[in-house]
Short mmCIF file of all heavy atoms in Angstrom, two decimals:
data_model
loop_
_atom_site.label_atom_id
_atom_site.label_comp_id
_atom_site.label_asym_id
_atom_site.label_seq_id
_atom_site.Cartn_x
_atom_site.Cartn_y
_atom_site.Cartn_z
N GLN A 253 110.02 84.01 186.68
CA GLN A 253 108.93 83.67 185.85
C GLN A 253 108.65 84.86 184.93
O GLN A 253 108.54 85.96 185.27
CB GLN A 253 107.73 83.37 186.74
CG GLN A 253 106.60 82.82 185.82
CD GLN A 253 105.40 82.23 186.72
OE1 GLN A 253 105.45 82.39 187.96
NE2 GLN A 253 104.37 81.77 186.15
N THR A 254 108.52 84.50 183.56
CA THR A 254 108.28 85.51 182.50
C THR A 254 107.14 85.22 181.70
O THR A 254 107.15 84.51 180.82
CB THR A 254 109.46 85.63 181.68
OG1 THR A 254 110.73 85.85 182.40
CG2 THR A 254 109.35 86.90 180.61
N PRO A 255 105.94 85.81 182.16
CA PRO A 255 104.61 85.45 181.46
C PRO A 255 104.62 86.22 180.15
O PRO A 255 105.35 87.29 179.91
CB PRO A 255 103.54 85.99 182.41
CG PRO A 255 104.27 87.02 183.12
CD PRO A 255 105.78 86.56 183.36
N ARG A 256 103.83 85.83 179.26
CA ARG A 256 103.56 86.44 178.03
C ARG A 256 102.59 87.72 178.24
O ARG A 256 101.94 87.78 179.28
CB ARG A 256 102.91 85.59 176.96
CG ARG A 256 103.80 84.49 176.52
CD ARG A 256 103.04 83.39 175.64
NE ARG A 256 101.83 82.89 176.40
CZ ARG A 256 101.02 82.02 175.99
NH1 ARG A 256 101.02 81.66 174.75
NH2 ARG A 256 100.05 81.43 176.81
N GLN A 257 102.65 88.66 177.37
CA GLN A 257 101.78 89.91 177.56
C GLN A 257 100.24 89.44 177.56
O GLN A 257 99.56 90.07 178.41
CB GLN A 257 102.04 90.82 176.40
CG GLN A 257 103.43 91.44 176.47
CD GLN A 257 103.62 92.52 175.26
OE1 GLN A 257 102.75 93.25 174.87
NE2 GLN A 257 104.93 92.51 174.81
N CYS A 258 100.00 88.50 176.76
CA CYS A 258 98.61 88.07 176.76
C CYS A 258 98.19 87.29 178.11
O CYS A 258 96.89 87.49 178.47
CB CYS A 258 98.20 87.32 175.50
SG CYS A 258 99.37 85.71 175.36
N ASP A 259 99.18 86.63 178.74
CA ASP A 259 98.83 86.01 179.95
C ASP A 259 98.55 87.08 180.99
O ASP A 259 97.69 87.04 181.78
CB ASP A 259 100.05 85.29 180.44
CG ASP A 259 100.35 84.02 179.58
OD1 ASP A 259 99.36 83.37 179.06
OD2 ASP A 259 101.57 83.66 179.36
N MET A 260 99.32 88.14 181.02
CA MET A 260 99.12 89.26 181.95
C MET A 260 97.73 89.99 181.65
O MET A 260 97.01 90.25 182.68
CB MET A 260 100.24 90.18 181.96
CG MET A 260 101.42 89.69 182.49
SD MET A 260 102.82 90.87 182.61
CE MET A 260 103.69 90.45 180.95
N ALA A 261 97.40 90.12 180.37
CA ALA A 261 96.10 90.73 180.00
C ALA A 261 94.95 89.89 180.37
O ALA A 261 93.93 90.40 180.99
CB ALA A 261 96.01 90.97 178.46
N THR A 262 95.09 88.51 180.44
CA THR A 262 94.01 87.62 180.84
C THR A 262 93.78 87.86 182.40
O THR A 262 92.61 87.95 182.84
CB THR A 262 94.41 86.11 180.53
OG1 THR A 262 94.65 85.91 179.18
CG2 THR A 262 93.44 85.16 181.18
N ILE A 263 94.77 88.13 183.16
CA ILE A 263 94.66 88.37 184.63
C ILE A 263 93.99 89.71 184.76
O ILE A 263 92.97 89.79 185.63
CB ILE A 263 96.04 88.20 185.25
CG1 ILE A 263 96.64 86.87 185.21
CG2 ILE A 263 95.90 88.77 186.75
CD1 ILE A 263 98.00 86.80 185.61
N GLU A 264 94.51 90.67 184.08
CA GLU A 264 94.04 92.07 184.35
C GLU A 264 92.69 92.37 183.86
O GLU A 264 91.90 93.21 184.45
CB GLU A 264 95.09 93.18 183.74
CG GLU A 264 96.37 93.24 184.57
CD GLU A 264 96.24 93.95 185.86
OE1 GLU A 264 95.82 95.05 185.95
OE2 GLU A 264 96.41 93.12 186.84
N THR A 265 92.27 91.75 182.79
CA THR A 265 91.00 91.97 182.16
C THR A 265 89.84 91.04 182.57
O THR A 265 88.76 91.29 182.23
CB THR A 265 91.05 92.08 180.59
OG1 THR A 265 91.42 90.71 180.23
CG2 THR A 265 92.07 93.09 180.27
N ASN A 266 90.25 89.99 183.22
CA ASN A 266 89.27 88.97 183.52
C ASN A 266 88.60 88.32 182.32
O ASN A 266 87.48 87.93 182.43
CB ASN A 266 88.24 89.53 184.58
CG ASN A 266 88.83 89.84 185.93
OD1 ASN A 266 89.59 89.07 186.37
ND2 ASN A 266 88.44 90.95 186.40
N GLN A 267 89.29 88.42 181.18
CA GLN A 267 88.83 87.69 180.08
C GLN A 267 89.25 86.22 180.03
O GLN A 267 90.17 85.87 180.76
CB GLN A 267 89.34 88.29 178.77
CG GLN A 267 88.92 89.73 178.61
CD GLN A 267 87.37 89.84 178.33
OE1 GLN A 267 86.71 89.09 177.59
NE2 GLN A 267 86.70 90.87 178.93
N PRO A 268 88.43 85.30 179.48
CA PRO A 268 88.77 83.81 179.51
C PRO A 268 90.07 83.52 179.07
O PRO A 268 90.84 82.63 179.61
CB PRO A 268 87.63 83.16 178.79
CG PRO A 268 87.09 84.27 177.83
CD PRO A 268 87.24 85.55 178.62
N ASP A 269 90.57 84.00 177.97
CA ASP A 269 91.79 83.63 177.47
C ASP A 269 92.35 84.67 176.35
O ASP A 269 91.89 84.63 175.29
CB ASP A 269 91.89 82.31 176.74
CG ASP A 269 93.24 81.86 176.50
OD1 ASP A 269 94.28 82.57 176.61
OD2 ASP A 269 93.47 80.55 176.04
N CYS A 270 93.08 85.47 176.78
CA CYS A 270 93.72 86.65 175.86
C CYS A 270 94.60 86.16 174.90
O CYS A 270 95.28 86.97 174.11
CB CYS A 270 94.16 87.84 176.72
SG CYS A 270 92.76 88.76 177.59
N CYS A 271 95.22 84.92 174.96
CA CYS A 271 96.30 84.47 174.09
C CYS A 271 95.73 83.66 172.86
O CYS A 271 96.56 83.29 172.05
CB CYS A 271 97.21 83.44 174.98
SG CYS A 271 98.07 84.30 176.19
N VAL A 272 94.47 83.63 172.70
CA VAL A 272 93.81 83.03 171.56
C VAL A 272 93.90 84.10 170.44
O VAL A 272 93.25 85.15 170.45
CB VAL A 272 92.49 82.50 171.73
CG1 VAL A 272 91.87 82.06 170.49
CG2 VAL A 272 92.48 81.44 172.86
N GLN A 273 94.60 83.80 169.27
CA GLN A 273 94.76 84.81 168.19
C GLN A 273 93.93 84.24 166.94
O GLN A 273 93.76 83.07 166.86
CB GLN A 273 96.19 84.87 167.80
CG GLN A 273 97.07 85.45 168.88
CD GLN A 273 98.57 85.38 168.51
OE1 GLN A 273 99.26 84.53 168.89
NE2 GLN A 273 98.98 86.30 167.82
N ASP A 274 93.56 85.20 166.19
CA ASP A 274 92.59 84.85 165.13
C ASP A 274 93.45 84.49 163.95
O ASP A 274 94.68 84.47 164.07
CB ASP A 274 91.62 85.92 164.76
CG ASP A 274 92.22 87.30 164.45
OD1 ASP A 274 93.50 87.23 164.03
OD2 ASP A 274 91.72 88.30 164.51
N ASP A 275 92.90 84.41 162.76
CA ASP A 275 93.59 84.04 161.53
C ASP A 275 94.55 85.10 161.08
O ASP A 275 95.50 84.87 160.27
CB ASP A 275 92.57 83.90 160.37
CG ASP A 275 91.77 82.54 160.67
OD1 ASP A 275 92.24 81.70 161.42
OD2 ASP A 275 90.75 82.58 159.99
N PHE A 276 94.41 86.34 161.54
CA PHE A 276 95.38 87.38 161.38
C PHE A 276 96.39 87.69 162.46
O PHE A 276 97.12 88.66 162.52
CB PHE A 276 94.68 88.78 161.06
CG PHE A 276 93.62 88.62 159.85
CD1 PHE A 276 92.25 88.26 160.10
CD2 PHE A 276 94.09 88.74 158.54
CE1 PHE A 276 91.45 88.30 159.05
CE2 PHE A 276 93.24 88.58 157.57
CZ PHE A 276 91.80 88.32 157.74
N ASP A 277 96.55 86.67 163.40
CA ASP A 277 97.42 86.77 164.52
C ASP A 277 97.14 87.88 165.56
O ASP A 277 97.94 88.37 166.19
CB ASP A 277 98.87 86.83 164.05
CG ASP A 277 99.34 85.63 163.38
OD1 ASP A 277 98.83 84.47 163.74
OD2 ASP A 277 100.21 85.77 162.58
N LEU A 278 95.83 88.35 165.52
CA LEU A 278 95.30 89.38 166.45
C LEU A 278 94.82 88.82 167.70
O LEU A 278 94.09 87.82 167.53
CB LEU A 278 94.38 90.24 165.72
CG LEU A 278 94.75 90.98 164.48
CD1 LEU A 278 93.69 91.76 163.82
CD2 LEU A 278 95.98 92.01 164.81
N PHE A 279 95.11 89.45 168.75
CA PHE A 279 94.41 89.03 170.03
C PHE A 279 93.12 89.49 170.16
O PHE A 279 92.71 90.53 169.54
CB PHE A 279 95.40 89.48 171.11
CG PHE A 279 96.74 88.92 171.07
CD1 PHE A 279 97.89 89.69 170.58
CD2 PHE A 279 97.13 87.60 171.70
CE1 PHE A 279 99.17 89.18 170.63
CE2 PHE A 279 98.35 87.19 171.66
CZ PHE A 279 99.39 87.95 171.15
N PRO A 280 92.24 88.92 171.11
CA PRO A 280 90.88 89.38 171.31
C PRO A 280 90.82 90.88 171.64
O PRO A 280 91.45 91.24 172.56
CB PRO A 280 90.35 88.42 172.29
CG PRO A 280 91.26 87.26 172.31
CD PRO A 280 92.59 87.78 171.96
N ASP A 281 89.96 91.61 171.00
CA ASP A 281 89.79 92.97 171.27
C ASP A 281 89.38 93.25 172.66
O ASP A 281 89.90 94.30 173.22
CB ASP A 281 88.82 93.62 170.21
CG ASP A 281 88.86 95.12 170.38
OD1 ASP A 281 89.90 95.70 169.98
OD2 ASP A 281 87.80 95.67 170.73
N PRO A 282 88.52 92.52 173.32
CA PRO A 282 88.10 92.77 174.67
C PRO A 282 89.48 92.78 175.64
O PRO A 282 89.35 93.28 176.83
CB PRO A 282 87.23 91.71 175.15
CG PRO A 282 86.67 91.31 173.80
CD PRO A 282 87.66 91.46 172.74
N CYS A 283 90.42 92.11 175.27
CA CYS A 283 91.64 92.10 176.11
C CYS A 283 92.63 93.34 175.99
O CYS A 283 93.54 93.52 176.69
CB CYS A 283 92.41 90.78 175.69
SG CYS A 283 91.66 89.29 175.98
N ASN A 284 92.24 94.22 174.96
CA ASN A 284 93.02 95.39 174.66
C ASN A 284 92.65 96.39 175.70
O ASN A 284 92.15 97.55 175.29
CB ASN A 284 92.80 95.76 173.34
CG ASN A 284 93.76 96.91 172.85
OD1 ASN A 284 94.93 97.02 173.46
ND2 ASN A 284 93.39 97.57 171.82
N ASN A 285 92.93 96.27 176.98
CA ASN A 285 92.74 97.19 177.91
C ASN A 285 94.04 97.62 178.89
O ASN A 285 95.03 96.90 178.71
CB ASN A 285 91.59 96.65 178.93
CG ASN A 285 90.27 96.59 178.30
OD1 ASN A 285 89.89 97.54 177.53
ND2 ASN A 285 89.49 95.65 178.56
N GLY A 286 93.86 98.74 179.51
CA GLY A 286 94.86 99.10 180.36
C GLY A 286 95.05 98.12 181.57
O GLY A 286 94.13 97.42 181.96
N GLY A 287 96.17 98.36 182.32
CA GLY A 287 96.37 97.62 183.58
C GLY A 287 97.60 98.13 184.20
O GLY A 287 98.31 99.09 183.84
N TRP A 288 97.98 97.44 185.30
CA TRP A 288 99.21 97.69 186.00
C TRP A 288 100.06 96.33 185.89
O TRP A 288 99.42 95.31 185.92
CB TRP A 288 99.01 98.11 187.38
CG TRP A 288 98.37 99.41 187.47
CD1 TRP A 288 97.07 99.73 187.85
CD2 TRP A 288 99.00 100.70 187.21
NE1 TRP A 288 96.79 101.05 187.75
CE2 TRP A 288 97.98 101.80 187.33
CE3 TRP A 288 100.17 101.10 186.74
CZ2 TRP A 288 98.09 103.06 187.30
CZ3 TRP A 288 100.39 102.49 186.51
CH2 TRP A 288 99.45 103.54 186.82
#
């Protein structure tokens, strides 16, 4: 199974959905965190 980076960030940051991109194709800033 190969998840997307944003899928993994959703798990690690406990944000509702890190795969939602804005009009500039940027991911939500609260998802831009470290993890393992």
Side-chain angles (χ1 to χ4, degrees):
Q253 187 176 359
T254 306
R256 298 170 295 178
Q257 294 177 38
C258 58
D259 292 323
M260 290 182 270
T262 298
I263 295 167
E264 286 290 296
T265 63
N266 292 318
Q267 295 296 319
D269 190 350
C270 291
C271 292
V272 175
Q273 295 173 266
D274 62 20
D275 293 339
F276 300 97
D277 292 330
L278 299 176
F279 297 98
D281 191 64
C283 297
N284 188 21
N285 286 323
W288 295 107

